[in-house]
Amino acid sequence: ETGVTQSPTHLIKTRGQQVTLRCSSQSGHNTVSWYQQALGQGPQFIFQYYREEENGRGNFPPRFSGLQFPNYSSELNVNALELDDSALYLCASSFWGSGNTIYFGEGSWLTVV
Amino acid sequence: AQTVTQSQPEMSVQEAETVTLSCTYDTSENNYYLFWYKQPPSRQMILVIRQEAYKQQNATENRFSVNFQKAAKSFSLKISDSQLGDTAMYFCALPHMDSNYQLIWGAGTKLIIKP
């Protein structure tokens, strides 16, 4: 049990639709990051948030966007869904500082049909 | 560029045996951290063990230990007295030099513990 919770756990969307995934970080953690994990692959970094601002981004298009709220919870939004967006989306939280361990939630399974 | 390589796509051992998973990496940093994460069929990514590069002593967590060879850039995970619950994907990860929260991952090793 990491204290990082994500919702929903599973969802199915149609190509072209928009989706919002939510994450509550572990108590005391002020940094949140999001990863996409396709089946059979390792996670790919999408972006991270600290103090409600994005301060790091991986190789993902602008239709992937996010928010971090004052309570450090976070949202991942994906617009204009494509079939290749089908994946497990992992939220991770940590406390800002060198070497602090990153803890992951259970993930949200997104299927785009 | 920083890279993480896991050269064993799949391994299987009998319950109670010892198994070692390999990981090599490349980074130009001198001080960094390395992690092993476990991902069981439930898909939650669970931290197994972490190593600080400036520490010469190998990290140990109960049945899990690492063999960290900084000069060789090698970071293997040893699981002693393996249990059925150890069946999972195991990922080696290295923080990106520009961000401690952007992890660079290996391709993973699927470990199967047989009864």
Side-chain angles (χ1 to χ4, degrees):
Chain A
E1 190 67 38
T2 65
V4 181
T5 59
Q6 293 185 242
S7 63
T9 54
H10 294 82
L11 70 166
I12 300 173
K13 290 286 188 178
T14 303
R15 189 171 51 181
Q17 285 188 317
Q18 178 266 344
V19 67
T20 297
L21 307 179
R22 295 177 175 82
C23 174
S24 293
S25 56
Q26 184 173 332
S27 178
H29 285 181
N30 56 11
T31 302
V32 65
S33 51
W34 287 90
Y35 290 80
Q36 180 196 67
Q37 186 178 20
L39 204 60
Q41 298 181 20
Q44 297 292 317
F45 175 74
I46 302 175
F47 44 55
Q48 72 184 42
Y49 278 81
Y50 172 62
R51 290 185 175 176
E52 302 175 50
E53 290 192 1
E54 182 184 302
N55 68 349
R57 190 177 183 93
N59 189 26
F60 280 82
R63 61 188 184 84
F64 285 78
S65 63
L67 287 171
Q68 185 184 31
F69 300 100
N71 65 355
Y72 305 128
S73 65
S74 176
E75 287 182 354
L76 164 65
N77 299 290
V78 187
N79 295 320
L81 284 167
E82 301 176 358
L83 297 180
D84 285 348
D85 295 333
S86 295
L88 178 70
Y89 288 85
L90 295 166
C91 172
S93 76
S94 182
F95 186 78
W96 184 264
S98 177
N100 285 311
T101 300
I102 301 168
Y103 295 94
F104 288 83
E106 294 185 1
S108 293
W109 273 106
L110 171 64
T111 301
V112 182
V113 297
Chain B
Q2 294 173 290
T3 58
V4 177
T5 303
Q6 292 179 253
S7 58
Q8 304 153 313
E10 184 170 324
M11 298 184 72
S12 66
V13 297
Q14 294 294 134
E15 191 176 8
E17 289 184 346
T18 295
V19 60
T20 299
L21 309 183
S22 301
C23 172
T24 58
Y25 61 93
D26 192 19
T27 182
S28 58
E29 299 288 286
N30 189 44
N31 294 320
Y32 50 90
Y33 296 79
L34 289 161
F35 303 93
W36 277 99
Y37 281 89
K38 164 186 175 180
Q39 190 175 42
S42 66
R43 299 304 299 272
Q44 179 163 18
M45 199 68 77
I46 300 167
L47 176 68
V48 175
I49 199 165
R50 80 172 204 171
Q51 174 76 41
E52 298 173 65
Y54 67 89
K55 289 187 176 179
Q56 293 185 341
Q57 187 174 8
N58 289 324
T60 299
E61 288 287 343
N62 301 313
R63 297 183 295 107
F64 299 87
S65 62
V66 299
N67 182 5
F68 173 53
Q69 302 290 329
K70 189 174 182 181
K73 295 183 178 174
S74 171
F75 182 58
S76 60
L77 174 69
K78 185 172 84 170
I79 306 174
S80 303
D81 186 27
S82 57
Q83 301 174 0
L84 296 179
D86 295 334
T87 293
M89 284 290 292
Y90 286 80
F91 292 96
C92 178
L94 167 73
H96 192 280
M97 64 175 68
D98 294 333
S99 167
N100 284 319
Y101 309 98
Q102 179 180 348
L103 293 177
I104 300 168
W105 300 81
T109 296
K110 183 177 182 180
L111 177 64
I112 299 170
I113 309 299
K114 297 179 287 187

